[in-house]
Amino acid sequence: MRYLLKRVRRLVVVIFAVTLFTFLLVNVLPGDVAYDIAGQDASEEEVQAIRADLGLDRPVMVRYAEWLGDFVQGDWGRSFRTDEPVVDAILSRFPVSLELMLVAQVFALILAVPFGILAAYRAGRTVDRTIATAGFMSLSVPSFMAAILLILVVSLNLGWLPTSEYEPLSAGLWANLRAFILPALAIAMAEWVVLMRVLRADMIGVLQQDYISLARAKGLPVCHVILRHALKPASFSMITVLGLQIGNLVGGSIIIESIFALPGVGRLLINAIYARDFIVVQGVVVFIAFAYVLVNFIVDLLYAVLDPRIRTERADG
Amino acid sequence: MSRPLLELTNVSTHFHSPAGRVRAVDGVSVSLEAGQTLGLVGESGSGKSVLARTIMGLLPSYAEIPKGGAITFDGQNLLTMDRKARRAISGPGIGMIFQDPMTSLNPVMKIGQQVYEGMRHHFGTSKATGRQRAIELLTEVGIPQPDVRVDQYPHQLSGGMRQRVAIAIALACEPKLLIADEPTTALDVTVQSGILDLLQREQRDRGMTLILITHDLGVVAGRCDKVAVMYAGGIVETGSTRSLFARTRMRYTQALLDSIPRLDRPPHERLKSIGGRPPNLITPPPGCRFAPRCAFADAQCEAAMPPMQADEADPAHSFACWHPRDPEQVTEEVA
Amino acid sequence: MADPTTNRPLHPARPTLSRFRRMRPTTGKSGQFGIAFWLPLAWLFLISFTAIFAPWIGIQDPDSLDFVNLQTPPNDAHLLGTDHLGRDVLARVVYGARVSLVVGFCAPVVGMLLGLPIGMIAGYFGGRIDGFIVGSIDTFLAVPGLVLLLLFSLIFGGSLLVVTVSLGLLFIPIFSRISRAATLSFKSSEFILAARTIGANDFNILVRELLPNVVLPVLAFGLVAVASAIVVEGALSFLGLSVPAPHPSWGGMIAGGREHLEESPHISVFPAIVMFLTVLSFNLVGDTLRSRFADVREAAI
């Protein structure tokens, strides 16, 4: 319980720091929003009027306190351009980003787990080195490059999965899912290597443990020993990394979302940046940071579910 | 005398390392009849654990078993059989208990499952029956509240209790041969004899064959029918426990015996420790491996390895020494 | 007992065979550098050489438009073909390398110059200072790197300097973590104790005794950081938020070819291949050096 409280306190501190940081960054530095809103031809008086209207003439800290008060109550402001409430804009796009990220992680895991196990089991052998080399190559393909290459090869040359418009889930699971396959693969291209390496390293350690020898001494087949005895204790670090990646991907899929025209949070952010729509940018950044910290928090709890040692430690403490 | 249950002939285990070939086990021959208990004794690094793992087929990938040796268990050569047949022996044929119960139980698997999964694999026991059997076994090895413990995880048990669980795991498949690799070394002194007594009782009740690996000759004394002393990868003296203690021939065995605290010695007498260190197993000296540390060594000892020879009084008792101790000389060691 | 190759204590409850583990042949890490080291290194020299000496070795003007030859596939006049404005792809790839390499090398340097002292101070003084620094870094990490970069480019506009510096800031956490871990591992060594007993002050110990030891693992990570800096710069220029438009950059070229992927894939594919090989080379060379010279691993952080 105390542990949980500590984590929640941390969560609050981080959110506070991030909001303050982005607020200052967006509000104190040059490129005042009032000029943007008024347009290039506006006179200085018009700009001042807008500033007063937006309350920009008051001290930064006062504005931050006010903004924070509204923010906590769920009022994140409205877009300068579309007048859409920022909260609504984010929440309507979040499911798309979430789905993209989940599909991407599923692909990454499908690649990482078997190859990680194989590499660990044959550590130092040809198979291991081949996987490591493939990993290096895969890791050296930036996601936007992977996206372009996937479109070129899979959609254009092979004619599979023509790049399709995003369809909501209501249009059917396949119609919805097929728009995510290539973007998720582009993201998974680099992600799987990180997961695979972490799993491999931990699996090598676990395979040298006595309890693995004991399991083998029971006469269990190798695959049973690896899957039932070794995989779980070897996957804790991988799950942490997975969590970190999910947190990162909320914001990291910006490019992929814009290449594949997926209406997610990342695309909202990049469009807001192109349009210099500061209120939206601020809201999205805070939202992404919040998601990141929250995901970490959840991963930490998940840890406790997976590892009975931590579970009792925490129950006792 | 029946056919031995386990017979090792000229078994070696080498490890490949950047520095060269490590001869961890070098030409070991020993045999054991069904129902007997063999004490395998030696310092740490003498190769006893590696020998246990060689019998068990649990060597790491950088190990090599040179051709020419054989491990015959129940009439079959374990070294030449295919993997699947070999696996079928692990569990119902041979079971093993490891040194450190803190690391030998899977931390993220319930105790009950660890006990019964061998049965499930080998005999197709159902989960419910397996769990029931696990509770019976936990009761048998002396774990209080077995019906609660069966659903707990290893970290919720003390070291001694965990070793009892490890014994239950090994017993689950009713092995003909049980190898206990220093089962008490990692435990508190207070629980050590409890574990050894349990092993001895199970061995007797089940008519099981037992290999008890230890660095302590004192442990072997009252519990084993037969003793084999290992030094630097080879067996240097072997025989019935009675004969080995009464007519110790090999100088190394004697040195080991002298290092055990005994009640019949004057109090506050300084214990003898064996000076020097075991030889480098990458380039072992050509002669007797113990020669550099032996007070009786001469040029012959350093030049050639002594062969195993039988004791004059007891042909089952053999030793490898150029200058064996005269057993008639001192009588105080008789147990 | 400590493993002599790493100075790290072995796992306290070590499995029975662990004393043999360090004898396991460490394939690829002992002996000479292999082809996976020299080949990438040669490529990096080739790329750097052509980028630096581009105007003097017959590389065409990257900005000259050739409206007669729009989107031509590779031919004698244009070895890698031309793009949709008839610009020579080879020339643009070479000049684009200048941006990638400048950002790739300078950003990690910025991150190292700031991250190293921060990490050393955190590791050396410990306590509240350490807690504050580690906490700040965690907070900083809560905003994904690309998002921060976009924020910076939104506020300061896109230029080589802004991209380099803001990308450099993103490297502070990783460099400070590595140097903090290294500092921690050396802090209680005997040579530090010795320096302290002869009356060296904190500053002297940090600079004279610890820095030479900490800088090695940090530098070893440097080349891997270069690879990721090139990738992130590529992402930014792909989005059009790095160096301004007509200036060639790899990311921008890949983005520019998107519209013509079907008829003229070479416009995107060639810069992609060059970028891939460069990133891969930095990764391979960096990893070889890292496993060779650094005993403080990321795993220890």
Side-chain angles (χ1 to χ4, degrees):
Chain A
M1 225 26 236
R2 195 193 299 157
Y3 172 79
L4 206 70
L5 272 176
K6 215 169 118 186
R7 296 296 311 209
V8 171
R9 209 175 59 205
R10 241 181 73 80
L11 193 82
V12 172
V13 170
V14 170
I15 292 303
F16 182 75
V18 169
T19 54
L20 183 62
F21 177 70
T22 35
F23 192 88
L24 291 179
L25 207 59
V26 171
N27 285 276
V28 177
L29 296 160
D32 195 321
V33 271
Y35 289 96
D36 283 307
I37 296 174
Q40 292 189 336
D41 304 328
S43 67
E44 190 60 27
E45 288 78 46
E46 281 174 298
V47 172
Q48 287 307 328
I50 292 172
R51 289 181 65 105
D53 193 37
L54 291 171
L56 293 181
D57 46 353
R58 288 173 302 145
V60 171
M61 288 319 288
V62 174
R63 277 153 49 204
Y64 174 66
E66 243 177 48
W67 179 84
L68 193 65
D70 290 344
F71 175 82
V72 173
Q73 289 165 33
D75 176 9
W76 293 18
R78 282 169 181 273
S79 161
F80 294 148
R81 310 279 166 190
T82 63
D83 209 36
E84 194 186 4
V86 174
V87 175
D88 295 356
I90 292 174
L91 288 183
S92 69
R93 283 152 176 98
F94 179 59
V96 177
S97 296
L98 186 71
E99 186 175 355
L100 172 60
M101 160 184 103
L102 289 179
V103 177
Q105 292 300 347
V106 168
F107 282 148
L109 277 177
I110 288 175
L111 287 168
V113 172
F115 285 121
I117 289 175
L118 195 63
Y121 182 60
R122 310 291 292 171
R125 309 286 186 87
T126 317
V127 182
D128 181 29
R129 268 177 278 159
T130 311
I131 292 174
T133 310
F136 257 119
M137 298 178 87
S138 196
L139 200 61
S140 303
V141 181
S143 64
F144 64 90
M145 193 193 287
I148 297 291
L149 295 177
L150 281 170
I151 293 175
L152 178 64
V153 176
V154 180
S155 301
L156 299 180
N157 287 2
L158 297 173
W160 304 340
L161 291 169
T163 38
S164 46
E165 284 290 296
Y166 165 76
E167 300 271 358
L169 205 56
S170 54
L173 183 64
W174 171 241
N176 170 262
L177 211 55
R178 57 179 283 166
F180 285 102
I181 293 178
L182 288 188
L185 269 179
I187 294 175
M189 196 74 163
E191 305 292 320
W192 81 272
V193 184
V194 182
L195 297 178
M196 182 272 286
R197 287 181 181 173
V198 173
L199 178 64
R200 174 185 176 275
D202 281 10
M203 181 64 94
I204 288 176
V206 167
L207 287 179
Q208 286 167 338
Q209 293 292 320
D210 278 352
Y211 60 83
I212 297 304
S213 293
L214 180 66
R216 285 176 60 204
K218 290 176 192 169
L220 303 173
V222 173
C223 64
H224 183 108
V225 172
I226 286 179
L227 294 180
R228 301 297 302 279
H229 282 264
L231 188 56
K232 197 171 163 189
S235 57
F236 292 145
S237 312
M238 186 181 73
I239 287 166
T240 315
V241 175
L242 192 72
L244 291 174
Q245 284 185 341
I246 289 178
N248 265 324
L249 282 184
V250 181
S253 52
I254 296 169
I255 299 187
I256 298 300
E257 283 179 14
S258 70
I259 293 177
F260 290 94
L262 291 171
V265 177
R267 188 140 166 264
L268 177 68
L269 177 66
I270 191 90
N271 287 341
I273 285 176
Y274 286 140
R276 301 181 71 76
D277 194 344
F278 287 91
I279 296 276
V280 176
V281 171
Q282 185 170 298
V284 174
V285 170
V286 171
F287 175 80
I288 287 171
F290 184 75
Y292 176 84
V293 181
L294 193 69
V295 167
N296 273 313
F297 180 69
I298 294 170
V299 167
D300 228 57
L301 294 183
L302 195 69
Y303 231 73
V305 177
L306 278 172
D307 192 339
R309 287 167 295 186
I310 298 179
R311 203 185 305 155
T312 31
E313 233 169 73
R314 287 180 186 168
D316 296 344
Chain B
M1 287 275 218
S2 59
R3 191 182 66 176
L5 178 71
L6 179 76
E7 185 162 27
L8 275 65
T9 348
N10 193 26
V11 174
S12 300
T13 307
H14 297 173
F15 289 109
H16 294 287
S17 81
R21 183 180 278 255
V22 182
R23 295 161 199 274
V25 173
D26 204 7
V28 163
S29 299
V30 70
S31 74
L32 190 58
E33 270 138 56
Q36 274 193 324
T37 299
L38 168 73
L40 192 58
V41 186
E43 286 173 282
S44 51
S46 61
K48 15 183 233 310
S49 284
V50 177
L51 183 62
R53 282 176 180 258
T54 307
I55 299 171
M56 216 48 216
L58 293 179
L59 293 170
S61 57
Y62 48 94
E64 184 203 327
I65 302 174
K67 288 203 161 38
I71 300 178
T72 315
F73 175 77
D74 223 1
Q76 295 166 283
N77 186 351
L78 298 184
L79 295 181
T80 52
M81 63 203 320
D82 69 89
R83 284 170 175 226
K84 210 175 157 203
R86 177 63 194 81
R87 270 209 312 273
I89 289 179
S90 288
I94 313 175
M96 182 158 174
I97 296 163
F98 292 83
Q99 178 172 346
D100 188 353
M102 293 299 178
T103 59
S104 67
L105 298 182
N106 192 328
V108 295
M109 195 184 262
K110 285 180 181 168
I111 284 164
Q113 198 188 345
Q114 297 194 48
V115 174
Y116 69 64
E117 70 170 349
M119 286 186 261
R120 272 178 68 74
H121 174 69
H122 290 289
F123 313 129
T125 318
S126 74
K127 256 187 190 164
T129 322
R131 190 172 177 281
Q132 203 46 51
R133 270 297 289 148
I135 295 177
E136 288 167 30
L137 278 162
L138 292 178
T139 318
E140 189 180 325
V141 297
I143 290 191
Q145 291 181 286
D147 48 334
V148 177
R149 295 300 188 187
V150 77
D151 292 321
Q152 287 187 332
Y153 290 93
H155 68 275
Q156 291 163 290
L157 270 63
S158 69
M161 284 298 143
R162 288 196 210 186
Q163 197 61 300
R164 286 174 190 269
V165 171
I167 293 172
I169 291 174
L171 295 177
C173 288
E174 315 263 338
K176 294 179 188 162
L177 169 67
L178 181 63
I179 302 175
D181 184 4
E182 304 215 35
T184 57
T185 309
L187 300 179
D188 282 350
V189 186
T190 46
V191 298
Q192 287 186 354
S193 68
I195 295 289
L196 291 170
D197 291 343
L198 171 66
L199 278 174
Q200 202 174 9
R201 196 182 73 223
E202 293 294 343
Q203 184 267 328
R204 259 201 314 266
D205 293 354
R206 292 165 182 265
M208 205 164 52
T209 313
L210 178 67
I211 297 180
L212 184 60
I213 298 175
T214 172
H215 56 260
D216 186 354
L217 265 176
V219 165
V220 161
R223 305 178 197 270
C224 298
D225 305 306
K226 213 175 153 177
V227 181
V229 178
M230 269 190 97
Y231 185 78
I235 287 182
V236 291
E237 181 160 15
T238 176
S240 70
T241 310
R242 185 162 189 81
S243 170
L244 190 115
F245 277 79
R247 302 175 49 82
T248 307
R249 304 300 305 271
M250 169 69 193
R251 299 289 175 182
Y252 174 67
T253 315
Q254 185 59 41
L256 272 184
L257 277 173
D258 288 341
S259 66
I260 304 173
R262 294 172 64 134
L263 287 176
D264 56 3
R265 294 252 174 79
H268 305 300
E269 188 199 42
R270 190 176 265 271
L271 281 176
K272 284 183 199 158
S273 60
I274 307 174
R277 301 204 300 161
N280 179 353
L281 294 178
I282 294 174
T283 45
C288 172
R289 305 249 164 108
F290 186 58
R293 301 168 76 184
C294 182
F296 303 88
D298 62 11
Q300 183 187 22
C301 297
E302 270 153 33
M305 181 103 91
M308 283 297 261
Q309 52 180 302
D311 182 61
E312 306 85 50
D314 177 2
H317 181 173
S318 56
F319 57 91
C321 190
W322 290 122
H323 305 295
R325 183 174 159 274
D326 179 2
E328 316 302 334
Q329 194 183 5
V330 190
T331 50
E332 65 179 62
E333 270 87 8
V334 178
Chain C
M1 188 171 117
D3 189 332
T5 54
T6 59
N7 284 323
R8 272 176 301 152
L10 287 174
H11 197 272
R14 60 201 177 91
T16 326
L17 284 179
S18 65
R19 60 175 177 270
F20 294 109
R21 198 182 306 157
R22 65 199 148 99
M23 297 177 184
R24 175 200 291 268
T26 44
T27 331
K29 286 183 181 165
S30 53
Q32 294 301 304
F33 292 121
I35 193 161
F37 178 79
W38 293 115
L39 213 58
L41 199 64
W43 169 261
L44 292 180
F45 273 111
L46 179 73
I47 279 286
S48 313
F49 180 83
T50 47
I52 294 168
F53 299 103
W56 299 284
I57 52 171
I59 300 291
Q60 301 176 24
D61 178 1
D63 297 324
S64 82
L65 311 177
D66 179 355
F67 291 108
V68 184
N69 293 310
L70 296 183
Q71 302 184 31
T72 47
N75 57 44
D76 288 344
H78 303 284
L79 278 177
L80 300 183
T82 59
D83 69 2
H84 61 291
L85 295 175
R87 294 175 296 195
D88 184 62
V89 171
L90 175 64
R92 293 186 68 76
V93 166
V94 169
Y95 279 88
R98 289 182 161 189
V99 175
S100 292
L101 292 177
V102 166
V103 175
F105 276 109
C106 296
V109 169
V110 171
M112 208 183 291
L113 289 178
L114 294 169
L116 184 86
I118 292 176
M120 285 186 66
I121 288 170
Y124 183 74
F125 292 105
R128 276 167 180 272
I129 298 176
D130 186 35
F132 176 75
I133 291 177
V134 171
S136 310
I137 287 175
D138 280 355
T139 310
F140 190 62
L141 283 175
V143 183
L146 195 59
V147 173
L148 265 184
L149 281 177
L150 294 178
L151 260 184
F152 284 127
S153 74
L154 167 68
I155 291 157
F156 301 104
S159 75
L160 201 57
L161 183 71
V162 170
V163 171
T164 307
V165 172
S166 47
L167 194 51
L169 296 180
L170 294 189
F171 281 109
I172 292 178
I174 184 70
F175 279 115
S176 58
R177 281 180 174 197
I178 294 173
S179 52
R180 176 175 173 271
T183 307
L184 281 176
S185 73
F186 288 113
K187 192 172 120 183
S188 40
S189 323
E190 282 168 14
F191 65 91
I192 300 296
L193 190 70
R196 213 188 293 277
T197 39
I198 59 166
N201 62 23
D202 287 338
F203 181 78
N204 275 330
I205 291 177
L206 275 169
V207 174
R208 296 228 183 107
E209 310 291 338
L210 282 171
L211 188 60
N213 289 295
V214 171
V215 84
L216 205 64
V218 170
L219 281 179
F221 179 74
L223 284 180
V224 180
V226 172
S228 67
I230 292 177
V231 168
V232 179
E233 192 283 328
L236 271 184
S237 55
F238 184 86
L239 291 171
L241 296 171
S242 181
V243 288
H247 206 88
S249 67
W250 291 344
M253 294 177 73
I254 296 172
R258 263 170 79 191
E259 310 299 321
H260 317 284
L261 217 46
E262 191 138 29
E263 347 51 279
S264 329
H266 69 269
I267 302 176
S268 282
V269 169
F270 283 126
I273 291 174
V274 172
M275 183 173 175
F276 165 71
L277 289 177
T278 308
V279 172
L280 180 64
S281 300
F282 275 114
N283 273 331
L284 285 173
V285 173
D287 191 73
T288 311
L289 291 181
R290 187 161 54 138
S291 57
R292 201 72 189 274
F293 297 116
D295 41 34
V296 178
R297 307 233 183 103
E298 284 163 276
I301 298 165

